[in-house]
Amino acid sequence: MSNDARLIAGNEEYTYPVVSGSVGPDVIDIRKLYAQTGMFTYDPGFTSTASCESALTYIDGDEGVLLHRGYPIGQLAEQSSFMEVSYLLLNGELPSPGQLKDFSHTISRHTMLHEQLMTFYRGFRRDAHPMAIMCGVVGALSAFYHDSTDIADPVHRKISSHRLVAKMPTIAAAAYKYSVGQPFVYPDNSLSYTGNFLRMTFGVPAEKYEVNPVVERALDRIFILHADHEQNASTSTVRLAGSSGANPFACIAAGIACLWGPAHGGANEAALNMLKEIGTPDRIPHYIERAKDKNDPFRLMGFGHRVYKNYDPRATVMQSTVREVFKSLNVTDPLFETALRLEELALNDPYFIEKKLFPNVDFYSGIILSAIGFPTTMFTVLFALARTVGWVAQWNEMISDPGQKIGRPRQLYTGPTSRDYVSLDKR
Ligand code: ACO
């Protein structure tokens, strides 16, 4: 029997090839549908639409599986480093020791920002949200690094990718420093990627900063957990922006803007704010009832996911990392107890069971980041920092594809049909 999909529209039957990937659902290739039938498909929110081919990341949402280039996220989070995962995403294979050393060295040689770019910060209000600063400063990179914006040149693409991964911690730390009125701290390339970021964020010129290895490891792991997540909203934004031939700095700025929203990367900030609002475990049932009430816009932040209909594997690692960080810093946070109790009650509630709503990566991340010392406004910035490597890897994959086209969705038009203009004096 043919593996084609048959579509009957009116009196006609059309066939479309069914294409299999290496794993996961097959897709129906409908590229000829409009030319043959004069009809579009309608899929707002892209719940059933594969927008591209990709060999980077695979998610099985029903089973709670996340693989980068085939490697399970749990193994990468436990055994790898963010630099190694970055190499893997960008190059397709785990690096040899020599390749990892060279890659880390290359990234460390791009950590500084053009000095003039630092003056951009002073144009922002002191109380500007750091994500607003990120959108502006990352977009502005294209005005400073013209020598790597020829997207047709693979060498330019490689350099701009390295620049973005390397400069993001410097940009993010400076956004934080500006908000607290402290001097910017320049990178120290003798430190690891994550250790350097911690120093630029929490160090001050007046004192020597010692990187706490447990915190460094925990944050590195958080970066791994956020490195890529296939065709989510911000990654699709980067690809769509890039499909027009826009330079990579502009594309990543577009991804950052999309990530900011509370339904996406902004959820980690919203989840911690929600836990603070709930406060003590005795108030949880009231909030669970609110989340279930269709007339109340309140949702449990950090719960539910478009793809995962099972426990988000990243949330599992995040929960154990909270315990590690608390132990190392010798701190506790009553909000962690509230979060654990909220998870337990929600996971036993028929509403959440029926709708398959589980904690996602954002549910516990805010608690760790808060224990490390980051204010809530920085949470989404950290997500953007880590996701940059995924965005550039996806962008590179798209640009290297010889069949790549500008992304241009169609629509179901529901506005007025053609009518004649009425002059102002007749209206
Ligand atoms: N609390 C209460 N109810 C929820 C929640 C929630 N967190 N999430 C989904 N639901 C309900 C919806 O009301 C809907 O109910 P209905 O079928 O009766 O209308 C049903 O579950 C399906 O939800 P949708 O919004 O249709 O699912 P979608 O896939 O579009 O949304 C999303 C996924 C945006 C993540 C959603 O679950 C949500 O808003 N969660 C809270 C925000 C959040 O944590 N976002 C982070 C996502 S992970 C990331 O970006 C890193």
Side-chain angles (χ1 to χ4, degrees):
M1 199 172 124
S2 148
N3 199 23
D4 290 344
R6 287 196 299 281
L7 170 76
I8 298 171
N11 296 327
E12 299 293 330
E13 180 173 315
Y14 306 91
T15 53
Y16 296 97
V18 172
V19 184
S20 299
S22 45
V23 58
D26 292 343
V27 301
I28 305 170
D29 180 348
I30 54 154
R31 279 177 288 185
K32 295 209 170 97
L33 183 108
Y34 176 57
Q36 290 176 342
T37 67
M39 284 189 278
F40 300 138
T41 54
Y42 181 58
D43 185 20
F46 307 115
T47 51
S48 298
T49 298
S51 62
C52 61
E53 264 183 43
S54 181
L56 273 137
T57 294
Y58 172 72
I59 303 174
D60 181 337
D62 293 326
E63 296 298 322
V65 169
L66 167 59
L67 310 175
H68 291 319
R69 304 278 193 190
Y71 296 102
I73 190 66
Q75 290 180 21
L76 294 173
E78 289 304 324
Q79 298 168 49
S80 185
S81 67
F82 182 67
M83 271 301 91
E84 194 175 55
V85 172
S86 297
Y87 183 97
L88 174 70
L89 287 170
L90 289 168
N91 299 291
E93 295 297 335
L94 285 169
S96 67
Q99 286 168 327
L100 181 59
K101 193 163 164 253
D102 288 350
F103 178 71
S104 304
H105 178 81
T106 304
I107 295 296
S108 75
R109 287 300 170 275
H110 286 293
T111 50
M112 292 207 333
L113 292 181
H114 192 291
E115 196 59 22
Q116 237 176 311
L117 197 57
M118 302 311 282
T119 61
F120 270 54
Y121 287 84
R122 303 193 201 287
F124 287 97
R125 277 172 56 137
R126 268 298 160 199
D127 60 355
H129 195 290
M131 281 299 278
I133 299 182
M134 295 297 288
C135 292
V137 175
V138 174
L141 289 175
S142 44
F144 286 84
Y145 300 101
H146 305 284
D147 59 338
S148 63
T149 51
D150 177 2
I151 63 158
D153 183 339
V155 177
H156 278 222
R157 294 207 295 271
K158 195 170 180 178
I159 297 172
S160 57
S161 301
H162 290 165
R163 279 182 168 150
L164 275 157
V165 172
K167 292 185 198 302
M168 208 54 91
T170 317
I171 295 171
Y176 171 70
K177 284 300 193 197
Y178 185 71
S179 72
V180 291
Q182 290 181 3
F184 299 137
V185 176
Y186 286 89
D188 175 349
N189 292 341
S190 68
L191 298 173
S192 71
Y193 184 85
T194 304
N196 183 35
F197 173 63
L198 282 167
R199 182 181 159 276
M200 288 191 290
T201 306
F202 298 119
V204 287
E207 282 172 24
K208 185 161 171 41
Y209 181 80
E210 294 289 342
V211 178
N212 176 328
V214 176
V215 171
E216 183 184 17
R217 179 72 196 115
L219 190 58
D220 200 73
R221 193 178 290 160
I222 291 174
F223 289 167
I224 294 173
L225 295 178
H226 288 91
D228 192 48
H229 214 226
E230 53 116 311
Q231 310 311 319
N232 55 81
S234 56
T235 302
S236 299
T237 302
V238 170
R239 279 186 178 256
L240 196 55
S243 75
S244 72
N247 75 71
F249 304 108
C251 297
I252 302 306
I256 292 173
C258 177
L259 187 76
W260 194 356
H264 192 9
N268 52 15
E269 184 176 342
L272 195 75
N273 288 338
M274 175 194 73
L275 290 172
K276 283 183 187 157
E277 188 187 323
I278 296 175
T280 46
D282 57 302
R283 288 162 50 84
I284 294 172
H286 168 65
Y287 283 89
I288 289 196
E289 286 316 308
R290 282 190 61 192
K292 288 156 50 173
D293 182 355
K294 283 278 155 252
N295 300 316
D296 188 331
F298 176 80
R299 280 188 167 196
L300 282 191
M301 300 313 286
F303 251 80
H305 198 276
R306 168 61 62 80
V307 181
Y308 293 117
K309 302 301 168 200
N310 201 326
Y311 212 99
D312 180 339
R314 302 168 300 172
T316 317
V317 184
M318 220 41 112
Q319 203 200 72
S320 63
T321 309
V322 177
R323 293 198 167 88
E324 258 173 52
V325 169
F326 279 6
K327 194 162 160 241
S328 155
L329 297 178
N330 202 16
V331 294
T332 52
D333 184 344
L335 291 186
F336 185 43
E337 297 312 317
T338 305
L340 288 171
R341 184 76 184 130
L342 175 58
E343 176 187 326
E344 187 189 332
L345 289 179
L347 293 186
N348 284 298
D349 189 294
Y351 173 94
F352 291 87
I353 295 170
E354 188 199 313
K355 295 188 189 302
K356 300 187 176 165
L357 299 170
F358 292 84
N360 60 49
V361 68
D362 293 320
F363 192 61
Y364 289 105
S365 64
I367 295 173
I368 312 175
L369 297 175
S370 193
I372 294 175
F374 292 103
T376 44
T377 51
M378 279 296 286
F379 292 179
T380 314
V381 173
L382 298 172
F383 192 157
L385 185 169
R387 182 55 57 85
T388 295
V389 70
W391 288 330
V392 294
Q394 299 266 357
W395 172 83
N396 272 296
E397 186 180 60
M398 178 188 73
I399 302 288
S400 322
D401 177 355
Q404 184 261 327
K405 283 179 177 216
I406 187 168
R408 185 22 173 121
R410 308 305 290 254
Q411 63 171 9
L412 174 65
Y413 178 69
T414 56
T417 53
S418 178
R419 49 183 170 167
D420 290 326
Y421 177 78
V422 180
S423 62
L424 192 55
D425 59 318
K426 303 241 167 54
R427 275 178 261 150

